Amino acid sequence: MSRLSLFAPDNFPLIQPGQPLLPAIVDALTQGGQPLADNDILVLAQKIVSKSENRFIDLGDIVATDEARDYAARCLKEPRFIQAVLNESAAVVRCVPNVFIVQHKLGFTLANAGIDQSNIDPSCINEEHRELALLLPQDPDASAAALRRQIRDTLGVNVGVVISDSFGRPWRLGTTGVCIGCAGVEPIRDQRGQKDLYGRTLQVTMPAIGDEMAAAACLLMGEASEGRPIAVLRGLEVIEADLPATALLRAGNEDLFR
Amino acid sequence: MSRLSLFAPDNFPLIQPGQPLLPAIVDALTQGGQPLADNDILVLAQKIVSKSENRFIDLGDIVATDEARDYAARCLKEPRFIQAVLNESAAVVRCVPNVFIVQHKLGFTLANAGIDQSNIDPSCINEEHRELALLLPQDPDASAAALRRQIRDTLGVNVGVVISDSFGRPWRLGTTGVCIGCAGVEPIRDQRGQKDLYGRTLQVTMPAIGDEMAAAACLLMGEASEGRPIAVLRGLEVIEADLPATALLRAGNEDLFR
């Protein structure tokens, strides 16, 4: 029997702007009786990484350009919010009522450049700043690598780290967890050329393991008010790899679905 | 600490055309010391469901139309294979070299209508039939519901059933497990209107739990020659629902990514 276990501390503390994550992670897992062990995969919601890296912006500081106002009128959103999205984006993919999908400067295609206003304490910066929004981490692969190094240096254990976000998908309703940053894991496995059970060569088998790890963790982490922004996957046959999460991106000219 | 465990029997037997699945599932899980229990989610790879339902076709029996030959020339595939795909499809979405993406009659948008030639024993029907391919189950939600009923009637336990397949995605490389049929689970949860941790109303939160369950199971099941076509998820807070997997489909006119 092959086995895999997932666990997530309940009541993880709310992360304040600039607060380092490692002590909170160690405390929550130790108190829950499950300290990190070699070969664990630690999955973190993008939101706590962004909070820890103080990626807050105040929409009150933003001045919308004409371009932002045009898009805002078409998608029925706030012009300064749209300007904040454009500031994080390389291209606009889709703009229709209630939907603004862009290609983020990091390469990901997603709604609103991943800028989020939920689960943000409006008082957590100061009293005057009340239109806060949270950007994606500046370099999620680097964030994952830094945390992995800290864990190795501090705890002496060798773990993989995945930073997850929830993306919508073309053709299918709802969101699933996807990997937007990783270190020490294999986000995608190229099995093309391997043989199947009958010796037939596999043509297209490339499981997006990083995204499946993020999706599995989301089953425990939830997305509303669960208060479980970290989860650990234990028992996976881990193949350490130096591939970044950007290995999961289709090049524009290879994106045959567009 | 919230917990979730997954397990998958190794060396699951190869399913023969028409062979019922339940005895093989019960044997494998019992031998592995993990009989099914109330609230388990049983995930099955589409392939064994299709084999059990004898959804084999022999490409030798198929005559390609002019339309199929045209598409085949454009995507560099075998015309009879393309004809088989067209027979299962409602519309062609994309046809370029090495890529043929369609909308399946069941509503799913995917490559080759999910028709697969890997992990098929060429001798399993008879000696003359050597160009076998396997179609998706005729009605995967009905297949899942029937198996769930059998499990309740035979074993007296109440489980959820998810049938998974591996789909490619626009914008992201690789495939992930998705839910193409289900029974007794909640494939998508509409949390719009709920409050976040600070009382702010969530705008777009609809986790595609069915797809996340399929993706989690795929971490154990693998896609090549692992021989693990079933997995059990245990420990999820299950909300029984009568939604079919087709609840995960975006209506064409709402598919804002197209």
Side-chain angles (χ1 to χ4, degrees):
Chain A
M1 195 72 84
S2 296
R3 288 166 196 282
L4 171 61
S5 61
L6 284 98
F7 42 88
D10 300 307
N11 306 312
F12 194 81
L14 293 167
I15 296 297
Q16 300 303 313
Q19 181 184 340
L21 289 177
L22 185 57
I25 293 168
V26 169
D27 279 0
L29 291 173
T30 307
Q31 280 172 27
Q34 291 288 7
L36 285 170
D38 279 333
N39 298 319
D40 282 351
I41 312 283
L42 173 65
V43 183
L44 304 107
Q46 161 268 322
K47 191 160 295 182
I48 60 167
V49 179
S50 291
K51 286 181 177 177
S52 168
E53 297 180 357
N54 206 351
R55 297 282 288 157
F56 288 94
I57 54 168
D58 183 345
L59 296 179
D61 294 339
I62 288 180
V63 180
T65 58
D66 286 347
E67 184 192 21
R69 274 194 295 270
D70 280 355
Y71 282 125
R74 284 162 55 195
C75 67
L76 312 176
K77 291 174 186 261
E78 155 66 38
R80 291 172 307 174
F81 178 76
I82 294 299
Q83 184 64 54
V85 174
L86 290 175
N87 293 348
E88 294 294 298
S89 302
V92 173
V93 173
R94 186 94 191 184
C95 177
V96 295
N98 304 312
V99 175
F100 193 55
I101 296 166
V102 298
Q103 184 173 28
H104 193 281
K105 284 186 290 191
L106 290 166
F108 309 114
T109 304
L110 79 177
N112 304 327
I115 300 179
D116 198 349
Q117 295 182 276
S118 66
N119 283 324
I120 293 175
D121 178 356
S123 69
C124 78
I125 292 195
N126 71 41
E127 279 298 315
E128 285 102 63
H129 289 210
R130 293 217 157 267
E131 292 184 275
L132 297 182
L134 195 56
L135 309 180
L136 293 191
Q138 197 138 28
D139 181 346
D141 284 316
S143 305
L147 186 59
R148 172 169 146 81
R149 263 196 313 274
Q150 284 174 41
I151 290 169
R152 198 174 44 203
D153 295 348
T154 316
L155 308 174
V157 292
N158 189 26
V159 303
V161 175
V162 167
I163 299 173
S164 78
D165 198 357
S166 291
F167 283 14
R169 304 87 48 84
W171 308 330
R172 295 179 77 74
L173 283 176
T175 60
T176 60
V178 297
C179 168
I180 66 162
C182 65
V185 302
E186 188 188 31
I188 186 161
R189 179 174 298 168
D190 193 345
Q191 298 185 310
R192 289 174 300 180
Q194 287 186 23
K195 303 294 185 185
D196 74 7
L197 288 166
Y198 298 97
R200 192 172 185 284
T201 301
L202 295 167
Q203 306 291 317
V204 291
T205 307
M206 286 176 68
I209 298 170
D211 287 341
E212 292 184 333
M213 294 191 293
C218 277
L219 286 171
L220 272 187
M221 291 159 68
E223 292 184 32
S225 57
E226 292 84 353
R228 290 192 290 267
I230 72 166
V232 174
L233 280 80
R234 182 169 293 170
L236 268 189
E237 219 176 287
V238 177
I239 296 173
E240 265 189 59
D242 273 332
L243 282 180
T246 48
L248 286 162
L249 298 176
R250 280 184 198 272
N253 59 354
E254 285 171 13
D255 192 349
L256 303 165
F257 295 78
R258 233 178 252 255
Chain B
M1 193 74 84
S2 296
R3 288 166 196 282
L4 171 61
S5 62
L6 283 99
F7 42 89
D10 301 307
N11 307 311
F12 194 80
L14 294 167
I15 297 297
Q16 301 302 312
Q19 180 184 340
L21 288 178
L22 185 57
I25 293 168
V26 169
D27 280 0
L29 290 173
T30 307
Q31 281 173 28
Q34 292 286 7
L36 285 170
D38 279 335
N39 298 319
D40 282 352
I41 312 284
L42 173 64
V43 183
L44 304 107
Q46 160 269 323
K47 191 160 295 181
I48 60 167
V49 179
S50 290
K51 285 181 178 179
S52 168
E53 296 180 358
N54 206 352
R55 295 282 289 155
F56 288 94
I57 54 168
D58 184 344
L59 296 180
D61 294 340
I62 287 179
V63 179
T65 58
D66 286 347
E67 185 194 21
R69 273 195 295 270
D70 280 354
Y71 282 125
R74 281 162 56 195
C75 67
L76 312 176
K77 291 175 186 261
E78 156 65 38
R80 291 173 306 172
F81 179 77
I82 294 299
Q83 185 64 54
V85 174
L86 291 175
N87 294 348
E88 294 294 298
S89 302
V92 174
V93 173
R94 186 93 192 185
C95 178
V96 296
N98 304 312
V99 174
F100 193 55
I101 297 167
V102 297
Q103 185 173 28
H104 193 282
K105 284 187 290 191
L106 290 166
F108 309 114
T109 303
L110 79 176
N112 305 325
I115 301 180
D116 198 350
Q117 295 182 277
S118 66
N119 284 324
I120 293 175
D121 178 355
S123 69
C124 78
I125 293 194
N126 71 40
E127 280 298 314
E128 286 102 63
H129 288 209
R130 295 217 155 265
E131 291 184 274
L132 297 182
L134 194 57
L135 308 181
L136 293 192
Q138 198 137 29
D139 182 346
D141 283 317
S143 305
L147 187 59
R148 172 169 147 83
R149 265 195 313 275
Q150 284 174 42
I151 289 169
R152 199 172 44 204
D153 294 349
T154 316
L155 309 175
V157 292
N158 188 27
V159 303
V161 175
V162 167
I163 299 174
S164 78
D165 198 358
S166 292
F167 282 14
R169 301 92 45 87
W171 309 329
R172 294 180 76 75
L173 283 175
T175 60
T176 59
V178 297
C179 168
I180 66 162
C182 64
V185 302
E186 190 188 30
I188 187 161
R189 179 175 298 168
D190 194 344
Q191 298 185 309
R192 290 174 299 179
Q194 287 186 23
K195 302 293 186 186
D196 74 6
L197 288 166
Y198 298 96
R200 192 173 186 283
T201 302
L202 295 167
Q203 306 292 317
V204 292
T205 307
M206 288 175 68
I209 297 170
D211 288 341
E212 292 185 332
M213 293 191 292
C218 276
L219 287 172
L220 272 186
M221 292 159 68
E223 292 184 34
S225 56
E226 291 85 351
R228 290 193 291 267
I230 72 167
V232 174
L233 280 79
R234 182 169 292 169
L236 268 189
E237 218 177 290
V238 177
I239 297 173
E240 264 189 61
D242 272 331
L243 283 180
T246 47
L248 287 161
L249 298 176
R250 280 184 197 273
N253 58 353
E254 285 173 11
D255 193 349
L256 302 164
F257 295 78
R258 235 179 252 254

